């Protein structure tokens, strides 16, 4: 028989810590243990049904004794002896700090829930409103809420030991007795509903559908807050169509060639899930590449820091991305091969697994997809896989007299953001509305991301096809440059000037290296296997540069290639 009962955290603590429960679980000599257990429970409630349900839950399923029939008499005896939570007049028992916090928490009643990875979250009520803010348990915001709750009711600070114990109880209650929900950082939803969290103290969230957008304090999507998140203003329609987009374009000093690329990244970053295109900004000093990347982040996901260095490992990259929606990696001089692969995976949905510390076999698991922006001097991206997922943006140095202070730029950006967000939300609504009827572009590697951008284009003020054309031309140009700047391309070009090649990779390598006086850099392949691997990786970029490489079917003589 199953028993269901609603209990307070104090009663949960009493049940888990009671020394009499193990005796009841054995089903032998239960009378004395049940009597003492009931005496502990009446401190929290005198409700016979609740106490009876808890005692029944601690007894074996096949229990056939009379203890349950004796529970009413046990309750009466415990109340007569003064074990209840409401002592007689003139007798006042001093509650422990954790008990005070339990009572205060139960009076407020914040909702607990868990993510599919069994992480605990709490919906904290906002001050002076009916909204909530979702944070992790434990987190700084959660601890601060509990400390303030205790202080407001007692005028004292709660001891750290009691706070830590209470947080463990909250985690247990969230994981074992609360609903499971999908959670998102800053942007979340599906292809029918996109929610954007402005990060405001009142808990307001913007919900975007095919019919437009609205501001609500009770969103249908669970958006969680992370430490360092900064607020955004609420949207406001401009006096003219696309005024927010136009002001952003002028502030960023973008022209008709570069604006469609930046706008594509901004609209793509509002997609509720991956894959995402990343923004790769190259330019000489003084071209404003760092400023443009930060403007994009401030417009969608402002946080501290706004820009950061590229982490040293894939694990650190995933941890950073787990707590941010848009990430900016600033002033890169080059991206190592392993980090280039990790970034390419992050754009599509990267998974990371590692043995959890202080365990024998438990796994620490992360799976996340994020839009991100990179900027650097020169050709800092060397891998075609990452470049295929990027929106390449090449900037020229600003002319003399055109530079402005960052303080002025951020003030102007803050002023235009309400109108910009109105235009951005309208474009996202357009994407939701047109996604089903818009043909998916097949000329770009990131088909899903490009499909979302194409569906939103009619709400951007740009001519039809402008954004996809700009993406195709930019990627083709950068892929060709990527190939031609590689030492393998010049060696291949020298060999193919004599005529087409067909043969094994080892034969091609011999031709490439036949000039003993020719020196290659450290990226040049030195074995047939390394040559075949690099040719496969660079095949598309080589094709953009005019060198077509094809791998033939494997035969008894091995696998041949043509160039």
């Amino acid at each position: 028989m199953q028993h269901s009962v609603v209990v307070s955290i104090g009663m949960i603590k009493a049940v888990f810590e009671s020394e009499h429960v193990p005796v009841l679980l054995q089903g032998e000599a239960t009378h004395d243990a049940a009597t003492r257990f009931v005496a502990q429970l009446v401190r929290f409630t005198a409700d016979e049904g609740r106490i009876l349900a808890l005692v029944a839950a601690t007894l074996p399923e096949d229990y056939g004794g009379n203890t349950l029939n004796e529970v009413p008499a046990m309750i009466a005896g415990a109340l007569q002896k003064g074990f209840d939570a409401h002592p007689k007049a003139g007798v006042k028992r001093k509650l422990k700090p954790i008990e005070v916090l339990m009572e205060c928490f139960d009076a407020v009643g914040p909702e607990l829930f868990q993510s599919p990875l069994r992480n605990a979250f709490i919906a904290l009520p906002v001050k002076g409103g009916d909204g909530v803010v979702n944070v992790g348990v434990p987190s700084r915001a959660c601890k601060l809420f509990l400390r303030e709750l205790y202080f407001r009711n007692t005028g004292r600070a709660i001891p750290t030991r009691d706070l830590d114990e209470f947080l463990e109880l909250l985690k247990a209650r969230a994981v074992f007795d609360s609903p499971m929900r999908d959670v998102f950082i800053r942007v979340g939803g599906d292809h029918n509903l996109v929610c954007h969290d402005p990060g405001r103290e009142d808990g307001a969230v913007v919900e975007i559908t095919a019919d437009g957008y609205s501001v609500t304090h009770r969103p249908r999507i669970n958006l969680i807050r992370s430490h360092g998140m900064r607020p955004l203003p609420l949207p406001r329609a401009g006096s003219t169509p696309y005024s927010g987009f136009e002001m952003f374009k002028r502030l960023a000093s973008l022209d008709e060639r570069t604006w469609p690329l930046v706008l594509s990244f901004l609209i793509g970053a509002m997609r509720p899930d991956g894959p995402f295109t990343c923004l790769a900004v190259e330019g000489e000093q003084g071209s404003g590449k760092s400023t443009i990347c930060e403007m994009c982040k401030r417009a969608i996901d402002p946080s501290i820091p706004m820009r950061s260095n590229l982490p040293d490992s894939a694990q650190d990259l995933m941890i950073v991305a787990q707590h941010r929606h848009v990430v900016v990696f600033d002033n890169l001089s080059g991206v190592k091969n392993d980090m280039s692969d990790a970034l390419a995976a992050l754009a599509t949905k990267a998974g990371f697994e590692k043995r959890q510390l202080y365990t024998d076999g438990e796994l620490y698991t992360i799976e996340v997809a994020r839009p991100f922006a990179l900027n650097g001097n020169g050709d800092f991206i060397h891998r075609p896989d990452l470049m295929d997922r990027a929106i390449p943006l090449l900037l020229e140095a600003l002319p003399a007299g055109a530079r402005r202070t960052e303080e002025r730029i951020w003030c102007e950006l803050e002023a235009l953001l309400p109108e910009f967000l109105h235009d951005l939300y309208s474009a996202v609504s357009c994407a939701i509305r047109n996604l089903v009827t818009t043909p998916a572009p097949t000329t770009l590697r990131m088909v899903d991301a490009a499909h979302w951008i194409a569906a939103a284009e009619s709400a951007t003020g740009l001519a039809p096809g402008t954004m996809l054309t700009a993406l195709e031309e930019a990627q083709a140009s950068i892929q060709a440059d990527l190939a031609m700047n590689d030492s393998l391309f010049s060696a291949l070009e020298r060999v193919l000037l004599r005529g087409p090649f067909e043969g094994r990779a080892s034969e091609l390598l011999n031709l490439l290296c036949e000039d003993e006086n020719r020196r290659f850099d450290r990226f040049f392949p030195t074995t047939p296997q390394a040559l075949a691997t690099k040719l496969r990786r660079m095949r598309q970029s080589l094709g953009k540069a005019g060198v077509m490489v094809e791998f033939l079917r494997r035969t008894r003589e091995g696998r041949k290639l043509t160039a």
Side-chain angles (χ1 to χ4, degrees):
M1 177 180 179
Q2 294 183 345
H3 301 270
S4 177
V5 59
V6 178
V7 298
S8 68
I9 291 182
M11 293 184 69
I12 294 175
K13 184 174 184 293
V15 171
F16 277 102
E17 293 184 353
S18 175
E19 68 274 22
H20 308 299
V21 170
V23 179
L24 294 173
L25 290 172
Q26 295 177 3
E28 300 177 1
T30 57
H31 177 79
D32 291 342
T35 301
R36 295 183 176 89
F37 184 48
V38 168
Q40 293 175 332
L41 295 179
V42 296
R43 288 181 53 246
F44 304 95
T45 180
D47 186 275
E48 182 178 314
R50 292 187 179 185
I51 295 178
L52 186 64
L54 287 172
V55 174
T58 61
L59 294 171
E61 293 185 2
D62 57 351
Y63 177 74
N66 297 322
T67 294
L68 290 178
N69 297 328
E70 299 169 348
V71 167
M74 295 177 184
I75 296 174
L79 294 175
Q80 185 177 3
K81 294 176 182 179
F83 289 118
D84 58 308
H86 307 284
K88 299 177 181 179
V91 180
K92 186 175 181 180
R93 186 180 71 85
K94 184 178 180 180
L95 296 177
K96 298 178 181 179
I98 191 172
E99 294 174 330
V100 175
L101 183 57
M102 288 177 186
E103 291 185 354
C104 298
F105 184 88
D106 289 338
V108 177
E111 184 182 8
L112 295 165
F113 60 96
Q114 60 177 312
S115 70
L117 291 178
R118 308 303 295 272
N119 293 320
F121 295 93
I122 182 172
L124 301 180
V126 300
K127 297 178 181 179
D130 60 350
V132 296
V133 173
N134 301 318
V135 299
V137 180
S139 65
R140 295 185 184 184
C142 178
K143 291 179 180 179
L144 185 62
F145 169 79
L146 296 175
R147 290 184 187 278
E148 183 180 6
L149 185 64
Y150 185 85
F151 175 77
R152 297 299 182 194
N153 283 273
T154 66
R156 301 186 303 273
I158 185 169
T160 302
R161 180 177 179 180
D162 293 274
L163 178 62
D164 292 341
E165 184 177 354
F166 187 73
L167 287 168
E168 289 300 317
L169 285 173
L170 287 186
K171 288 170 63 177
R173 188 173 174 182
V175 172
F176 301 120
D177 196 30
S178 298
M180 182 177 293
R181 298 171 182 168
D182 291 326
V183 296
F184 304 89
I185 293 281
R186 189 68 85 169
V187 176
D190 53 36
H191 290 162
N192 296 312
L193 170 69
V194 175
C195 290
H196 186 211
D197 182 7
R200 300 169 61 87
E201 290 185 357
D202 60 1
V205 171
V206 178
E207 286 190 342
I208 312 170
T209 66
D211 298 324
Y213 69 86
S214 60
V215 179
T216 178
H217 290 84
R218 293 289 178 179
R220 289 169 277 178
I221 300 298
N222 292 281
L223 296 163
I224 60 175
R225 298 281 177 89
S226 61
H227 183 66
M229 184 180 289
R230 288 295 177 263
L232 284 165
L234 294 178
R236 182 183 69 247
S239 56
T240 58
Y242 316 119
S243 60
F245 283 165
E246 289 298 327
M247 288 188 292
F248 190 98
K249 174 185 173 183
R250 287 196 300 269
L251 183 61
S253 299
L254 300 172
D255 56 24
E256 302 304 321
R257 177 185 61 86
T258 54
W259 168 238
L261 300 175
V262 174
L263 184 57
S264 295
F265 173 74
L266 291 167
I267 294 175
M270 289 294 294
R271 194 166 182 262
D273 55 6
F276 297 101
T277 52
C278 68
L279 186 65
V281 186
E282 295 182 12
E284 56 187 279
Q285 294 180 351
S287 58
K289 52 187 180 295
S290 296
T291 301
I292 287 179
C293 289
E294 185 169 337
M295 286 181 65
C296 293
K297 180 171 176 61
R298 283 177 178 262
I300 295 177
D301 184 26
S303 64
I304 294 179
M306 292 290 181
R307 295 172 277 173
S308 61
N309 296 326
L310 185 64
D312 294 328
S313 67
Q315 177 184 3
D316 292 339
L317 175 66
M318 298 304 148
I319 292 175
V320 170
Q322 191 179 28
H323 296 277
R324 298 286 181 263
H325 180 68
V326 177
V327 191
V328 174
F329 300 116
D330 189 43
N331 199 24
L332 305 180
S333 58
V335 181
K336 297 179 181 179
N337 289 342
D338 55 342
M339 288 306 299
S340 180
D341 294 340
L343 287 168
L346 179 62
T348 53
K349 185 168 280 190
F352 179 84
E353 290 183 336
K354 185 180 180 181
R355 183 180 68 84
Q356 194 166 354
L357 294 178
Y358 311 115
T359 64
D360 293 329
E362 292 291 329
L363 284 177
Y364 176 69
T365 304
I366 300 175
E367 186 179 54
V368 62
R370 292 288 185 266
F372 57 90
L374 312 169
N375 69 76
N377 296 317
D379 301 322
F380 61 91
I381 297 179
H382 305 289
R383 290 257 185 165
D385 282 349
L386 177 57
M387 191 55 70
D388 278 347
R389 293 162 170 80
I391 299 176
L393 185 66
L394 183 60
L395 300 179
E396 299 178 356
L398 296 173
R403 297 182 183 178
R404 291 158 293 179
T405 63
E406 286 197 359
E407 181 180 3
R408 178 183 172 186
I409 292 174
W410 304 142
C411 288
E412 292 186 20
L413 178 64
E414 195 68 24
L416 68 84
L417 273 180
E419 294 184 31
F420 172 83
L421 289 173
H422 167 80
D423 291 346
L424 184 63
Y425 296 152
S426 299
V428 173
S429 176
C430 179
I432 297 174
R433 187 167 56 250
N434 296 338
L435 194 63
V436 176
T437 58
T438 300
T442 57
T443 55
L444 293 167
R445 171 79 176 269
M446 306 288 281
V447 177
D448 296 273
H451 190 198
W452 176 265
I453 294 169
E457 188 175 43
S458 60
T460 63
L462 298 175
T466 299
M467 300 174 77
L468 290 184
T469 300
L471 288 174
E472 291 172 0
E473 291 178 352
Q475 285 203 346
S477 176
I478 201 69
Q479 287 281 7
D481 290 344
L482 185 66
M484 289 187 289
N485 291 335
D486 195 285
S487 58
L488 179 59
F489 176 82
S490 59
L492 273 173
E493 190 177 38
R494 177 175 53 83
V495 171
L496 296 179
L497 285 176
R498 308 171 193 170
F501 171 83
E502 179 177 341
R504 292 188 292 271
S506 58
E507 298 171 350
L508 179 58
L509 183 61
N510 291 333
L511 292 175
L512 295 174
C513 302
E514 64 182 2
D515 186 353
E516 297 181 356
N517 296 324
R518 187 179 180 86
R519 294 187 177 182
F520 298 101
D521 57 29
R522 61 188 180 91
F523 299 105
F524 193 86
T526 57
T527 65
Q529 182 179 2
L531 175 61
T533 300
K534 187 163 186 176
L535 286 174
R536 287 190 178 92
R537 184 181 297 120
M538 294 185 60
R539 194 160 66 92
Q540 290 189 2
S541 57
L542 287 171
K544 301 291 184 182
V547 176
M548 308 302 298
V549 177
E550 295 291 339
F551 286 85
L552 306 179
R553 297 184 62 180
R554 186 182 299 277
T555 65
R556 293 181 180 180
E557 299 179 357
R559 173 166 290 179
K560 294 183 178 181
L561 60 91
T562 62

